[in-house]
Amino acid sequence: MKNKIMTAKEAVAPIKNGASIMVGGFMACGTPENLIDALVEKGVKNLTIICNDAGVPSRGVGKLLTNGQIKTLIASHVGLNPEVAQRMNTDVEEDKLECILVPQGTLAERIRAGGTGLGGFLTPTGVGTIVAEGKQVINIDGRDYLLEKPLKADVALIRGSVTDKFGNTTYNATTRNFNPMMATAAEYVIIGACEIVEVGEIDPNNVVTSGIFVDAIAGGEKPWQI
Amino acid sequence: MKNKIMTAKEAVAPIKNGASIMVGGFMACGTPENLIDALVEKGVKNLTIICNDAGVPSRGVGKLLTNGQIKTLIASHVGLNPEVAQRMNTDVEEDKLECILVPQGTLAERIRAGGTGLGGFLTPTGVGTIVAEGKQVINIDGRDYLLEKPLKADVALIRGSVTDKFGNTTYNATTRNFNPMMATAAEYVIIGACEIVEVGEIDPNNVVTSGIFVDAIAGGEKPWQI
Amino acid sequence: MADIKEIIAARVAKELADGNVVNLGIGLPTMVANFLPEDVHIVLQSENGIMGMGPAAEKGKEDVDIINAGAQYVTINTGAMYFDSAVSFGIIRGGHVDATILGALEVDQHGNLANWIVPGKMVPGMGGAMDLVVGAKKVIIAMQHTQKGAHKILKECRLPYTAVGVVDMIITEMGVMEITPEGIVLKELHPDFTIEQIQEATEAELIISPNLTAMK
Amino acid sequence: MADIKEIIAARVAKELADGNVVNLGIGLPTMVANFLPEDVHIVLQSENGIMGMGPAAEKGKEDVDIINAGAQYVTINTGAMYFDSAVSFGIIRGGHVDATILGALEVDQHGNLANWIVPGKMVPGMGGAMDLVVGAKKVIIAMQHTQKGAHKILKECRLPYTAVGVVDMIITEMGVMEITPEGIVLKELHPDFTIEQIQEATEAELIISPNLTAMK
């Protein structure tokens, strides 16, 4: 079996300027902070970040924003990080943030569609709102739905609670959120793990993410205070 | 909390002639046999059965077929139950079985769509085949997909390995198969449980089906030999 | 007069039945849980991944892996479960949430709702609100009747919609209103106010129910 | 001459690399696992809900909750996991299976495949085959070259398709063929046969690779 265990720095080494990166977590609960820190240190720029929210300035993807590394943010909620509004409205062209807001359920489902080979799905969410702009409306059995397309990325940064050396992963409590879908929808998947165990130690009934999706595993994560 | 524990006979009592019924299991592995037996005894007819396959004559939905209770079968594979072909080709009009074949992945996804409020989804499976007949083809970014619609039912018969008295359920090994999706896609959901435990005994991280979906729980199931 | 928010939360609580699956928005809606009768147990869904959410965590006893959708440390009740965001919104969009209770910037007589954006001023994002109001069986708007005197219950929403034609009920400190195909029907009026006063505080024309009762 | 099925299975095994995620069809494809070199460990996916499937269960030691997609009692390897059918076909359709190996009734020079129905005679259903051949990165058809002398590798399939343009490679007891935009290229010929013999057993016109080698 190929060794996947490495440092956070080694794990983020292949990530290039302009990469699209999915980051697990909900208000940074379930975000791999060590991997974010390694990405801040690496300093890659012009990133497209796909995350439920913008975290807060000192946590989660908020750190990448503060450090000026994000060009485009795809998220469902950014209200708890005041830097988002500042950067969206800045006159300094090179600091300007593009923020694409997606309803939370649609965001989760688009990522799932990306990972599962669907060409899209029909959701009632957003019909008749500005979310529908530019999207095909399809009527099924008398009800209108928006056609939403799949979302994929170059990289996914995943926070695992327990990960075995193959990459089989479980998520504790509400840290699960977007992590399982993101782990299926990116070319290069890194698990930031709280605990790394031997293969076989996790009950096969309880594994959530299969190791087949995982390219790199870095330890040292913990349940971080928001 | 409302009491959901009852006998299999009590649990199937509300099921009427002509009902559509989803039945979990893959070649009857993960099918609640006691609930099937209760349905055979009840003798309701003209059922639409949605199940991965037709089981075998002595197991799973095969028993309902043998007993002449199925009018329409929606499944992905029926080759291991010779009675399906016999009944499809019979000249006796009242014994005639309508069999609608759906690719297995599409069947699973249609049931999931039914349970999760999607109007449909786009799959590459079946494009250019007779499965595509009568279906809309939508091209997304240069690739053709079939628009497949959600599937729901009046009733779902689910085989749980461990179920608490609220209905929170886990599935052992390969008995999981179609059970979790079906539990979300029917009006009336019965769990046939191998083991019934007190609420709180299952780790909240490991529950697969939430008790909010469950209307009735009958015990006495076991891992049945095929 | 009792605290306005408490009046509203107490009245909303009466809309919930034993066993209901309910999603409570941040702020006032969260208070609803405090006003449930002893024999009514509801199952709280938190869209970030909990079925069976409990009260806020005690100071010093927080488990930082357990938050609600407002990023507050919470607890879970016996029989709870966790799930991912795709499963969570499958539950929501699939119609398995009996009621969602949330605030509004504007709501109109067609049941249209605006509560996520003030263009050019406030762009927090819709979070899970668009899915919740489209998916939940019953959408209850719980809010103060006006915003510093300005109308919030309108003939037509002026702000961008959260969703179209989804609101079932509006509960404010002044009264209880139902959205019907004919318009907004005033079902209950709080004893502190007159019909004239609630109408004046409402841009949409209220239809007075022939069975109008006092809001308690 | 060694057993035909073993020849085919042994050659298919060479197409698999260490760490590959592979779905093996029922019958001949299942034998492929027996011919992997010591240093090649593949991860077997079974579409009914296993990643990391092991060998068949020993007689008397079956766990009846653990079956493969052919309804045989099997075991799992260390590091395996179970999942539901929606997750399973998400893995398949999402391109996370490196190779699927299955039999065919007919395969044609465009890579079209027919292996699930003979109208009026055999209607077993497609099971997971349509998803597997559309989703897997590489589709290898492993089968006997002819069916009682009748052609199976055709110019155009006559039976209803399982999928269109999906087959990458055909491996039979006579040779190894790749489907290319130009047609079927014969890459390896089994030493027991001549080019004339394999062409005669094939309806489609074979393009003989300039680098034709002996099939081992």
Side-chain angles (χ1 to χ4, degrees):
Chain A
M1 197 181 73
K2 183 190 146 203
N3 175 47
K4 299 178 181 179
I5 315 285
M6 57 189 84
T7 64
K9 188 176 174 177
E10 288 165 346
V12 304
I15 302 176
K16 295 192 170 58
N17 286 333
S20 58
I21 308 178
M22 291 178 175
V23 181
F26 188 108
M27 280 308 293
C29 178
T31 298
E33 294 293 334
N34 286 339
L35 299 181
I36 297 285
D37 291 343
L39 212 53
V40 167
E41 191 169 329
K42 189 171 160 65
V44 280
K45 290 196 182 293
N46 291 320
L47 302 175
T48 293
I49 296 293
I50 301 162
C51 187
N52 175 62
D53 53 73
V56 293
S58 59
R59 282 276 279 116
V61 299
K63 294 175 188 168
L64 296 167
L65 187 68
T66 303
N67 201 34
Q69 295 176 264
I70 308 181
K71 189 180 175 206
T72 303
L73 177 64
I74 302 175
S76 82
H77 196 276
V78 296
L80 297 178
N81 187 337
E83 284 190 20
V84 173
Q86 287 164 26
R87 287 196 183 256
M88 284 174 71
N89 298 320
T90 182
D91 293 329
V92 186
E93 196 52 43
E94 62 176 37
D95 284 353
K96 214 170 174 72
L97 176 73
E98 179 192 26
C99 181
I100 300 170
L101 291 167
V102 180
Q104 202 167 112
T106 298
L107 183 62
E109 198 68 17
R110 286 182 64 194
I111 297 166
R112 179 184 181 274
T116 60
L118 297 177
F121 57 91
L122 304 183
T123 179
T125 302
V127 170
T129 75
I130 58 181
V131 165
E133 283 172 14
K135 286 173 192 156
Q136 200 175 337
V137 176
I138 295 181
N139 189 290
I140 302 284
D141 300 334
R143 189 177 185 189
D144 280 343
Y145 296 88
L146 296 188
L147 172 55
E148 293 279 3
K149 291 190 188 177
L151 202 52
K152 300 182 85 164
D154 300 322
V155 180
L157 306 185
I158 304 300
R159 213 301 279 284
S161 297
V162 181
T163 298
D164 74 21
K165 289 178 176 174
F166 177 51
N168 288 325
T169 296
T170 67
Y171 306 95
N172 184 49
T174 62
T175 67
R176 193 180 300 203
N177 52 67
F178 284 75
N179 281 300
M181 289 78 77
M182 288 177 169
T184 70
E187 284 299 310
Y188 178 70
V189 176
I190 312 173
I191 305 277
C194 297
E195 188 184 352
I196 300 174
V197 299
E198 294 300 322
V199 177
E201 286 192 38
I202 309 176
D203 182 334
N205 283 306
N206 298 341
V207 176
V208 175
T209 291
S210 167
I212 67 159
F213 293 110
V214 178
D215 299 290
I217 303 166
E221 296 288 338
K222 61 176 188 181
W224 308 95
Q225 190 87 23
I226 296 173
Chain B
M1 198 179 72
K2 182 189 146 205
N3 175 49
K4 299 179 182 178
I5 315 285
M6 57 189 84
T7 65
K9 187 176 175 178
E10 289 165 346
V12 304
I15 302 176
K16 295 193 170 58
N17 287 333
S20 58
I21 307 179
M22 292 179 174
V23 181
F26 188 108
M27 279 309 292
C29 177
T31 298
E33 293 294 332
N34 286 339
L35 299 181
I36 298 285
D37 291 343
L39 212 52
V40 167
E41 191 168 330
K42 190 172 160 64
V44 280
K45 291 199 182 291
N46 290 319
L47 302 176
T48 293
I49 296 292
I50 301 162
C51 187
N52 175 63
D53 52 73
V56 293
S58 60
R59 281 275 279 119
V61 299
K63 294 176 190 169
L64 296 168
L65 187 67
T66 302
N67 201 35
Q69 295 176 264
I70 308 181
K71 189 181 174 204
T72 302
L73 176 65
I74 301 176
S76 82
H77 196 276
V78 296
L80 297 177
N81 187 338
E83 286 190 18
V84 173
Q86 287 163 26
R87 286 194 183 257
M88 284 173 71
N89 299 320
T90 181
D91 291 330
V92 185
E93 196 51 43
E94 62 176 37
D95 283 353
K96 214 170 174 74
L97 176 73
E98 179 191 26
C99 181
I100 300 170
L101 291 168
V102 180
Q104 202 167 112
T106 298
L107 183 62
E109 197 68 16
R110 286 182 65 193
I111 297 166
R112 179 184 182 272
T116 61
L118 297 177
F121 57 91
L122 305 182
T123 179
T125 302
V127 170
T129 75
I130 58 180
V131 165
E133 282 172 15
K135 286 174 191 157
Q136 199 175 336
V137 176
I138 295 182
N139 190 289
I140 303 285
D141 300 333
R143 188 175 185 190
D144 281 342
Y145 295 88
L146 297 188
L147 172 54
E148 293 277 3
K149 291 189 190 178
L151 202 51
K152 300 182 85 165
D154 299 323
V155 179
L157 306 185
I158 304 300
R159 212 304 277 283
S161 297
V162 182
T163 297
D164 74 21
K165 290 178 175 174
F166 177 52
N168 288 324
T169 296
T170 66
Y171 307 94
N172 184 49
T174 61
T175 67
R176 194 179 301 202
N177 54 65
F178 283 74
N179 280 301
M181 288 78 76
M182 288 176 169
T184 70
E187 283 299 311
Y188 179 70
V189 175
I190 312 174
I191 305 277
C194 297
E195 188 185 352
I196 300 174
V197 299
E198 294 299 322
V199 177
E201 285 192 39
I202 309 175
D203 182 335
N205 284 306
N206 299 341
V207 176
V208 176
T209 292
S210 167
I212 66 159
F213 293 110
V214 177
D215 298 291
I217 303 166
E221 296 288 338
K222 60 176 188 181
W224 308 94
Q225 191 88 22
I226 297 174
Chain C
M1 177 175 172
D3 177 76
I4 283 179
K5 288 182 180 174
E6 288 185 359
I7 293 173
I8 298 169
R11 180 58 190 81
V12 171
K14 293 181 187 167
E15 294 298 315
L16 305 179
D18 192 42
N20 274 184
V21 176
V22 180
N23 186 294
L24 301 176
I26 298 165
L28 193 162
T30 308
M31 295 169 59
V32 171
N34 303 335
F35 291 93
L36 292 169
E38 284 259 321
D39 56 342
V40 174
H41 299 275
I42 61 173
V43 182
L44 288 179
Q45 201 258 11
S46 189
E47 66 265 32
N48 60 310
I50 310 175
M51 186 64 74
M53 183 169 63
E58 273 182 61
K59 195 91 186 159
K61 291 191 178 172
E62 300 92 348
D63 178 338
V64 299
D65 275 355
I66 311 179
I67 66 167
N68 67 10
Q72 294 157 320
Y73 295 119
V74 292
T75 58
I76 58 168
N77 290 331
T78 304
M81 74 173 287
Y82 300 109
F83 34 70
D84 68 44
S85 301
V87 170
S88 183
F89 283 90
I91 291 169
I92 289 167
R93 218 177 28 233
H96 309 292
V97 171
D98 294 300
T100 186
I101 297 153
L102 67 178
L105 297 169
E106 297 176 352
V107 53
D108 74 21
Q109 61 194 0
H110 312 291
N112 300 326
L113 172 66
N115 74 348
W116 73 280
I117 187 172
V118 181
K121 279 176 99 171
M122 185 196 79
V123 191
M126 67 292 280
M130 284 192 177
D131 302 278
L132 275 162
V133 297
V134 163
K137 283 185 197 150
K138 188 167 187 175
V139 176
I140 303 174
I141 300 301
M143 63 175 190
Q144 296 191 41
H145 205 96
T146 57
Q147 170 68 24
K148 294 177 187 165
H151 288 154
K152 297 176 72 178
I153 305 174
L154 309 177
K155 287 187 162 67
E156 311 282 343
C157 284
R158 291 181 273 270
L159 292 170
Y161 296 136
T162 303
V164 173
V166 293
V167 177
D168 295 294
M169 190 174 237
I170 307 168
I171 298 179
T172 75
E173 75 282 10
M174 301 183 90
V176 177
M177 290 143 278
E178 275 182 22
I179 313 283
T180 72
E182 290 70 39
I184 302 177
V185 176
L186 180 66
K187 306 278 284 190
E188 298 176 24
L189 179 66
H190 193 279
D192 287 354
F193 300 97
T194 64
I195 290 181
E196 289 67 33
Q197 283 173 319
I198 191 171
Q199 179 60 73
E200 200 178 331
T202 309
E203 185 192 271
E205 197 165 323
L206 295 173
I207 301 167
I208 312 304
S209 168
N211 307 312
L212 183 70
T213 57
M215 174 178 168
K216 284 173 196 161
Chain D
M1 177 173 171
D3 176 76
I4 282 180
K5 289 182 180 177
E6 287 186 0
I7 292 173
I8 299 169
R11 179 59 190 83
V12 171
K14 293 181 188 169
E15 293 298 316
L16 304 179
D18 192 42
N20 274 184
V21 176
V22 181
N23 185 295
L24 301 177
I26 297 163
L28 193 162
T30 308
M31 296 169 58
V32 171
N34 304 335
F35 292 93
L36 292 170
E38 285 258 321
D39 57 339
V40 173
H41 298 277
I42 61 172
V43 182
L44 287 179
Q45 201 257 11
S46 188
E47 65 265 30
N48 61 313
I50 310 175
M51 185 63 75
M53 183 170 63
E58 274 181 59
K59 195 90 185 159
K61 292 189 176 172
E62 300 92 346
D63 178 339
V64 299
D65 275 355
I66 311 179
I67 66 168
N68 67 10
Q72 294 157 321
Y73 294 120
V74 293
T75 58
I76 58 168
N77 291 331
T78 305
M81 74 172 287
Y82 301 108
F83 33 69
D84 69 45
S85 301
V87 169
S88 183
F89 283 90
I91 291 169
I92 289 166
R93 217 179 27 235
H96 309 292
V97 170
D98 294 300
T100 187
I101 296 152
L102 65 179
L105 297 169
E106 298 177 351
V107 54
D108 74 22
Q109 60 193 0
H110 311 291
N112 301 325
L113 171 67
N115 74 346
W116 74 281
I117 188 173
V118 181
K121 279 177 99 171
M122 185 196 79
V123 190
M126 66 292 279
M130 284 193 177
D131 302 279
L132 276 161
V133 297
V134 163
K137 284 185 197 152
K138 189 167 187 174
V139 176
I140 303 173
I141 299 301
M143 63 174 189
Q144 296 190 43
H145 204 96
T146 56
Q147 170 68 21
K148 295 178 187 163
H151 287 153
K152 297 176 72 178
I153 304 174
L154 307 178
K155 286 186 163 65
E156 311 281 343
C157 285
R158 291 182 274 269
L159 292 170
Y161 296 135
T162 303
V164 172
V166 293
V167 176
D168 296 295
M169 189 174 239
I170 307 168
I171 298 179
T172 74
E173 76 281 12
M174 301 184 90
V176 177
M177 290 143 278
E178 275 182 21
I179 312 285
T180 73
E182 289 71 38
I184 301 177
V185 176
L186 181 67
K187 305 278 283 189
E188 298 177 24
L189 179 66
H190 192 280
D192 287 354
F193 302 96
T194 65
I195 289 181
E196 290 66 31
Q197 283 173 316
I198 191 171
Q199 180 60 73
E200 200 177 331
T202 310
E203 183 192 272
E205 197 165 325
L206 295 173
I207 301 166
I208 311 304
S209 168
N211 306 313
L212 183 70
T213 57
M215 174 178 168
K216 285 174 198 162

